[in-house]
C-alpha cells in the first residue's frame, strides 16, 4: 500500500486579483498512496477545491511540483492532461453535473465512449457500475426524473465505470439529505475496498468526514493537520 | 471524430422541437434556392433548346459581311458558298422590305429559307406546297402586331440588288407558334428561291444553318459560329436573372444562419457546466468545439431533410406540370416559354447541400470557438463567460 499515486511538493497556487495576487495554496507537501480514502477538510475558502482541481489537472500549480500517476501536471500539454483525466481520473461534483438529455445509462457510458470501448464492453461495464450504485433499474431514466441521491449515485457510477485509479469528489454530499449522504459515502467506501480505487474528497461535511481514513486539514491555504484515522465501518 | 458527431446528433435529437424549429428556419433557404435555381435552369434549358430548334441549329456559317446585329450589313452581307461546302447546311438569305397591312407601313426583315430543310422548326414545307403566288410565313406575335391572319393578302415592297423598288401581293399561308422572339417579331419568312429571284441574288445566302452532321472547315469569306457561341447571350441573359435573384435567397440563408449562430452562442453560455464536465471527463477543448460545431453543422443536414420532406412534392409538381408565366418573352426580348418546367440537376442539389452545410459549419464554429479560451474550472462553476 505504499505505491505513491500522488506526490505534491512545495505547491503554491496564486490567483491574480486585479493589481495584486491572492495566494490560495501556500507551500503544500503531501503524498497519497494507491487505494487511499482521504479528504481535504477545512472551512470555506481554505483551498480544498483549488487543490482538488490541480490534482485533476483541470488547473495548474503556480509553483511546485504535482505528480499524478507519474505525470507532472504542472507542465502537461492540454492533450496529455485530457488523456490523464480520461484514463485515470474520475470526477464527482457537488451539483452532479449529469447531462440532462442523456439517459442514466448514456451518462455513465460517455466516459467509455471517450475511451473508444466497444459496445459490448460498454454494455457490460455500465451495467456493472449501475449495479454497484444500486441503480440497475433506472438505466432508461433521464436525470431530471431522479432524486438528488440517485443523481449523485449516477455520477459515482460515471466516475468509476472506467475503473480509474483516482476519484476526486468535491463536496459530493452538499446537495443531499443525511440519509442519502450516508448511502453515497458507503457506496464509495465499498468501491474503495473492492476496487482499490483511490478516493480524495474535499468537504466540510461531518457526515463525510466520519468515513475518511485520512483527514488533511487545510487552513488558509496551508496544511494544518494530517491525521490518519483508525479503520472503522459505520452503519446508518 | 465520429464520436463527436454521434454525441452532437444525440444532443440535437434530444433537444426535440427546438432543433426542428431551427432546422425549419434554414430549410426555407434550402427549398427556395432549389426552387428558384431549378426554375431558372429549366428556363435556360428550354430557352437553349428553343433557340437551337428554331434558329441556331448546330451553328451558323455566316457570310463574312453579314452581322445579324447590324441592319446595315444586310445590303452586302451575302454571297455564293462554293457547292462542295454546302453539305449539311440550310441556306437563309436576309433582306429588308416593307409590308402594308391595312394600309399601315411596317418595315420587315425578309428571310428566305430553303423550303426542303428539316434543320429548324420554321414550317417551310408549307411554302413548298402552297399554290399562292408569293406565299409567306409569320410568327404568331408578328401576325398579331400586323393584324394578319392565315390566308390574308399583304402588299410587300422591297428594293432589288440594284436598288430598284418592286412590290408584290404576298399571301400569309401559315402562322407558326414559337417562343423565340428573334425568328418572330418583325420577320417574314418565304422561300429562298423566291427571295433570290426577287432580289436578283441567284444562289446567294447570308448565312447557313448547320445540322448535327456538319463538320466545319475554313472557307474563304465565310465564318462558322458554333452552337455554344451562338447560345452564349441567351444563357448569359438568363444567368444574369439567376444572380440578380440570389440576393433574395441569400437573405433567407443569412436569417437561417443567424438563428444557428444565436442558438449555438447561447448554447455555449447555457451549457458551460456541460462543457466543463466534458473536459473533466477527458475531452480536449478541441473535441468539445468540434462537438458543438458538429451540432451547428447538423442543423443544416436536418434542414435539408426537412426541406426535402416538404419541398420534394413541390419540386416534383413543378418539374412535371411547370409554372405558367403570363408575360410574353417578346416584351422582355428573351426566350421564355409560356410554361417553364423546373429542372433539378444533381449539380444544383449537391451545390446547395454544400453551401448550406459549409456555411452552417462556419457559423457554428464562429459561435463556439470561445470554448477555446474557457477555463475548465470556471466553466464547471458556470462562470467562464
Ligand atoms: N479564480 C479565482 N480567482 C481568485 N480567487 C480565487 C479563485 N478561485 C478560488 N479563489 C480563492 O481561493 C480561495 C480558495 O478557494 P477554494 O474554492 O479552493 O475554497 P474551498 O476550500 O473549496 O471553499 P468552499 O468550502 O467554500 O468550497 C478562496 O478564498 C477563493 O476566493
Ligand atoms: Mg470548494
Amino acid at each position: 500500500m505504499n505505491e505513491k499515486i500522488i506526490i505534491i511538493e512545495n505547491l503554491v497556487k496564486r490567483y491574480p486579483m486585479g493589481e495584486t495576487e491572492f495566494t490560495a495554496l501556500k507551500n503544500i507537501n503531501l503524498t497519497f498512496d494507491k487505494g487511499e480514502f482521504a479528504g481535504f477538510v477545512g472551512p470555506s475558502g481554505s483551498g480544498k477545491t483549488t487543490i482538488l482541481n490541480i490534482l485533476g489537472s483541470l488547473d495548474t500549480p503556480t509553483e511546485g511540483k504535482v505528480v499524478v500517476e507519474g505525470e507532472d501536471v504542472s507542465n502537461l500539454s492540454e492533450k496529455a492532461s485530457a488523456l490523464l483525466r480520461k484514463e485515470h481520473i474520475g470526477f464527482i461534483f457537488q451539483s452532479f453535473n449529469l447531462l440532462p438529455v442523456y439517459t442514466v445509462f448514456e451518462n455513465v457510458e460517455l466516459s467509455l465512449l471517450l475511451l473508444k470501448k466497444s459496445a459490448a464492453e460498454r454494455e457490460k461495464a455500465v451495467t456493472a457500475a449501475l449495479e454497484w450504485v444500486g441503480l440497475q433499474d433506472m438505466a432508461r431514466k433521464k436525470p431530471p426524473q431522479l432524486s438528488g441521491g440517485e443523481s449523485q449515485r449516477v455520477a459515482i457510477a460515471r466516475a468509476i465505470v472506467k475503473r480509474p485509479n483516482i476519484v476526486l469528489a468535491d463536496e459530493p454530499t452538499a446537495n443531499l439529505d443525511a440519509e442519502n449522504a450516508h448511502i453515497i459515502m458507503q457506496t464509495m467506501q465499498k468501491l474503495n475496498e473492492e476496487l482499490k480505487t483511490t478516493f480524495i474528497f474535499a468537504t466540510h461535511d461531518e457526515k463525510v468526514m466520519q468515513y475518511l481514513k485520512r483527514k488533511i486539514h487545510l487552513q488558509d491555504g496551508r496544511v494544518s493537520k494530517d491525521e490518519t484515522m483508525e479503520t472503522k465501518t459505520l452503519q446508518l | 471524430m465520429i464520436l463527436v458527431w454521434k454525441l452532437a446528433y444525440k444532443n440535437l435529437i434530444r433537444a426535440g422541437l427546438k432543433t426542428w424549429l431551427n432546422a425549419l428556419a434554414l430549410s426555407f433557404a434550402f427549398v427556395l434556392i432549389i426552387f428558384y435555381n431549378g426554375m431558372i435552369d429549366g428556363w435556360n434549358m428550354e430557352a437553349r433548346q428553343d433557340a437551337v430548334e428554331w434558329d441556331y441549329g448546330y451553328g451558323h456559317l455566316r457570310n463574312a459581311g453579314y452581322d445579324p446585329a447590324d441592319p446595315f450589313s444586310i445590303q452586302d452581307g451575302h454571297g455564293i458558298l462554293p457547292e462542295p461546302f454546302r453539305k449539311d447546311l440550310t441556306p437563309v438569305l436576309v433582306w429588308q422590305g416593307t409590308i402594308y397591312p391595312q394600309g399601315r407601313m411596317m418595315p420587315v426583315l425578309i428571310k428566305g429559307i430553303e423550303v426542303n430543310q428539316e434543320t429548324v422548326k420554321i414550317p417551310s414545307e408549307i411554302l413548298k406546297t402552297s399554290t399562292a403566288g408569293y406565299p409567306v410565313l409569320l410568327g404568331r406575335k408578328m401576325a398579331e402586331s400586323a393584324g394578319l391572319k392565315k390566308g390574308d393578302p399583304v402588299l410587300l415592297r422591297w428594293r432589288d440588288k440594284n436598288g430598284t423598288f418592286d412590290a408584290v401581293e404576298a399571301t400569309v399561308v401559315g402562322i407558326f407558334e414559337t417562343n423565340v422572339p428573334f425568328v418572330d417579331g418583325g420577320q417574314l419568312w418565304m422561300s429562298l428561291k423566291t427571295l433570290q429571284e426577287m432580289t436578283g441574288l441567284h444562289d446567294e445566302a447570308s448565312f447557313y444553318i448547320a445540322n448535327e452532321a456538319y463538320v466545319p472547315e475554313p472557307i474563304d469569306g465565310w465564318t462558322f459560329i458554333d452552337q455554344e457561341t451562338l447560345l452564349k447571350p441567351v444563357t448569359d441573359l438568363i444567368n444574369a436573372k439567376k444572380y440578380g435573384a440570389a440576393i433574395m435567397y441569400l437573405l433567407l440563408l443569412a436569417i437561417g444562419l443567424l438563428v444557428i449562430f444565436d442558438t449555438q452562442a447561447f448554447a455555449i453560455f447555457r451549457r458551460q457546466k456541460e462543457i466543463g464536465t466534458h473536459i473533466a471527463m477527458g475531452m480536449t477543448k478541441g473535441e468539445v468545439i468540434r462537438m458543438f460545431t458538429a451540432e451547428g453543422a447538423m442543423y443544416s443536414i436536418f434542414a435539408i431533410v426537412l426541406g426535402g420532406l416538404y419541398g420534394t412534392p413541390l419540386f416534383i409538381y413543378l418539374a412535371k406540370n411547370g409554372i405558367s408565366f403570363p408575360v410574353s418573352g417578346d416584351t422582355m426580348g428573351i426566350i421564355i416559354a409560356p410554361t417553364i418546367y423546373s429542372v433539378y440537376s444533381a449539380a444544383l442539389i449537391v451545390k446547395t447541400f454544400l453551401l448550406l452545410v459549409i456555411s452552417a459549419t462556419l457559423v457554428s464554429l464562429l459561435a463556439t470557438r470561445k470554448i477555446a479560451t474557457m477555463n475548465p474550472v470556471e466553466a464547471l462553476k458556470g462562470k467562464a463567460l
Side-chain angles (χ1 to χ4, degrees):
Chain A
M1 270 280 271
N2 51 13
E3 188 188 327
K4 300 283 180 247
I5 197 163
I6 294 171
I7 303 163
I8 304 170
E9 283 172 8
N10 306 319
L11 168 63
V12 175
K13 178 68 185 180
R14 280 190 284 266
Y15 290 109
M17 288 262 286
E19 297 286 281
T20 59
E21 282 182 329
F22 175 80
T23 309
L25 295 174
K26 300 164 185 164
N27 202 38
I28 309 270
N29 287 281
L30 287 168
T31 60
F32 289 89
D33 291 331
K34 193 172 187 315
E36 280 205 50
F37 202 72
F40 292 101
V41 300
S44 183
S46 56
K48 305 183 295 291
T49 298
T50 305
I51 195 164
L52 224 55
N53 285 337
I54 292 173
L55 295 183
S57 194
L58 287 171
D59 208 346
T60 48
T62 313
E63 278 171 32
K65 198 168 152 188
V66 176
V67 180
V68 178
E69 280 280 322
E71 301 271 9
D72 185 350
V73 301
S74 33
N75 46 29
L76 277 186
S77 69
E78 201 219 330
K79 236 186 165 148
S81 87
L83 192 68
L84 175 70
R85 288 192 295 272
K86 182 155 70 178
E87 290 182 336
H88 301 300
I89 302 172
F91 284 91
I92 295 168
F93 305 97
Q94 174 181 338
S95 53
F96 324 136
N97 289 19
L98 299 176
L99 303 175
V101 297
Y102 288 17
T103 62
V104 164
F105 186 94
E106 288 166 339
N107 264 285
V108 178
E109 187 189 26
L110 184 57
S111 30
L112 298 176
L113 278 171
L114 295 177
L115 286 167
K116 302 195 163 61
K117 299 280 187 210
S118 74
E121 281 177 286
R122 298 198 304 265
E123 172 80 37
K124 209 174 133 214
V126 173
T127 310
L130 288 176
E131 268 169 34
W132 282 328
V133 298
L135 290 178
Q136 55 273 35
D137 299 333
M138 305 224 168
R140 303 258 139 255
K141 286 202 174 181
K142 293 208 177 141
Q145 302 166 283
L146 302 178
S147 72
E150 287 162 348
S151 296
Q152 198 59 303
R153 275 146 70 198
V154 175
I156 294 171
R158 179 176 66 180
I160 51 123
V161 69
K162 62 186 177 189
R163 302 292 196 100
N165 289 332
I166 304 167
V167 171
L168 302 173
D170 193 355
E171 314 276 12
T173 57
N175 286 335
L176 302 179
D177 59 25
E179 189 189 341
N180 274 300
H182 283 290
I183 293 173
I184 292 297
M185 288 313 294
Q186 282 161 11
T187 306
M188 290 196 271
Q189 196 178 46
K190 190 181 76 179
L191 288 164
N192 169 251
E193 279 159 13
E194 289 178 13
L195 304 177
K196 300 285 167 270
T197 310
T198 308
F199 278 81
I200 302 176
F201 296 85
T203 188
H204 49 219
D205 183 350
E206 277 301 328
K207 297 187 287 303
V208 174
M209 292 187 211
Q210 292 171 13
Y211 291 85
L212 299 178
K213 290 181 190 149
R214 178 184 178 192
K215 282 192 246 177
I216 301 154
H217 295 260
L218 285 184
Q219 189 78 48
D220 202 15
R222 288 181 213 278
V223 177
S224 60
K225 195 155 94 180
D226 186 349
E227 50 175 344
T228 305
M229 323 308 288
E230 275 157 40
T231 322
K232 53 178 176 178
T233 311
L234 272 156
Q235 290 299 328
L236 189 65
Chain B
M1 197 65 218
I2 294 165
L3 177 64
V4 300
W5 280 93
K6 275 190 191 158
L7 296 178
Y9 177 76
K10 215 188 268 182
N11 288 342
L12 283 187
I13 286 288
R14 300 290 168 82
L17 188 64
K18 203 193 77 196
T19 296
W20 292 108
L21 285 177
N22 284 343
L24 190 68
L26 197 58
S27 77
F28 294 139
F30 175 68
V31 169
L32 197 72
I33 291 171
I34 303 263
F35 162 76
Y36 193 78
N37 285 285
M39 193 175 77
I40 301 264
D41 288 349
W43 176 14
N44 199 355
M45 231 168 92
E46 284 173 52
R48 288 169 63 96
Q49 196 182 343
D50 281 343
V52 165
E53 285 176 356
W54 284 93
D55 188 4
Y56 296 154
Y58 287 82
H60 281 182
L61 181 66
R62 275 185 204 154
N63 182 276
Y66 175 63
D67 175 3
D70 174 13
F72 295 107
S73 72
I74 293 169
Q75 189 66 39
D76 298 313
H78 48 79
I80 298 172
L81 181 69
E83 188 68 52
F85 294 114
R86 294 191 193 174
K87 198 168 166 319
D88 299 314
L89 290 172
T90 298
V92 177
L93 178 63
V94 182
W95 204 246
Q96 277 175 313
T98 312
I99 56 170
Y100 296 86
Q102 289 124 30
R104 278 194 296 139
M105 187 177 114
M106 258 180 107
V108 290
L109 203 62
I110 310 168
K111 281 185 176 169
I113 188 165
E114 165 56 47
V115 292
N116 291 314
Q117 67 86 25
E118 280 171 354
T119 306
V120 289
K121 277 180 160 179
I122 304 292
S124 52
E125 72 283 351
I126 305 175
L127 299 169
K128 190 167 70 174
T129 51
S130 168
T131 53
Y134 286 87
V136 298
L137 298 172
L138 298 175
R140 185 182 51 77
K141 281 159 205 141
M142 173 61 182
E144 272 169 16
S145 69
L148 291 169
K149 296 187 302 295
K150 191 175 164 184
D152 282 354
V154 64
L155 181 67
L156 170 64
R157 217 162 90 100
W158 74 98
R159 286 171 189 255
D160 70 12
K161 66 174 176 180
N162 302 316
T164 317
F165 275 109
D166 205 344
V168 293
E169 191 180 74
T171 310
V172 179
V173 295
I175 288 169
F176 57 86
E177 187 70 50
T178 178
N179 303 320
V180 183
F182 38 85
V183 298
D184 185 339
Q187 308 202 9
L188 182 144
W189 292 82
M190 65 194 306
S191 147
L192 175 71
K193 282 266 151 18
T194 314
L195 186 60
Q196 284 171 341
E197 279 162 20
M198 281 158 56
T199 53
L201 298 170
H202 294 287
D203 217 21
E204 297 201 30
S206 307
F207 67 91
Y208 285 82
I209 305 169
N211 69 25
E212 203 172 354
Y214 179 71
V215 184
E217 50 189 315
I219 308 160
D220 216 30
W222 295 82
T223 321
F224 184 70
I225 295 112
D226 65 27
Q227 190 188 57
E228 210 42 58
T229 311
L230 289 171
L231 283 169
K232 200 172 171 299
V234 174
T235 301
D236 283 354
L237 199 71
I238 293 170
N239 279 339
K241 302 263 167 225
K242 198 170 183 167
Y243 301 130
I247 188 86
M248 176 170 76
Y249 57 75
L250 287 181
L251 213 70
L252 211 64
L253 180 64
I255 293 171
L257 292 175
L258 207 68
V259 170
I260 291 184
F261 181 86
D262 225 49
T263 307
Q264 290 307 85
F266 183 60
I268 67 154
F269 177 75
R270 200 172 37 87
R271 288 159 68 186
Q272 282 181 68
K273 264 197 169 177
E274 183 183 325
I275 292 167
T277 307
H278 277 109
I279 293 173
M281 290 178 76
M283 271 183 147
T284 61
K285 284 181 194 171
E287 284 170 323
V288 178
I289 291 176
R290 282 201 288 280
M291 183 175 78
F292 275 81
T293 304
E295 276 187 29
M298 240 178 246
Y299 277 121
S300 63
I301 294 175
F302 283 29
I304 288 162
V305 171
L306 211 61
L309 233 54
Y310 67 78
T312 307
L314 176 76
F315 297 149
I316 290 174
Y317 178 86
L318 293 175
K320 275 193 173 158
N321 302 302
I323 317 174
S324 296
F325 283 86
V327 283
S328 123
D330 202 29
T331 56
M332 292 159 75
I334 41 178
I335 307 171
I336 181 162
T339 302
I340 288 179
Y341 298 91
S342 301
V343 173
Y344 307 103
S345 61
L348 169 64
I349 292 172
V350 170
K351 268 194 227 162
T352 312
F353 181 90
L354 288 179
L355 174 71
L356 247 71
V357 173
I358 291 171
S359 57
T361 308
L362 287 179
V363 154
S364 168
L365 183 64
L366 214 65
T368 53
R369 76 203 151 126
K370 257 195 198 157
I371 293 172
T373 59
M374 270 190 186
N375 176 335
V377 172
E378 300 296 313
L380 278 167
K381 287 192 226 158
K383 288 187 203 156
L385 289 173

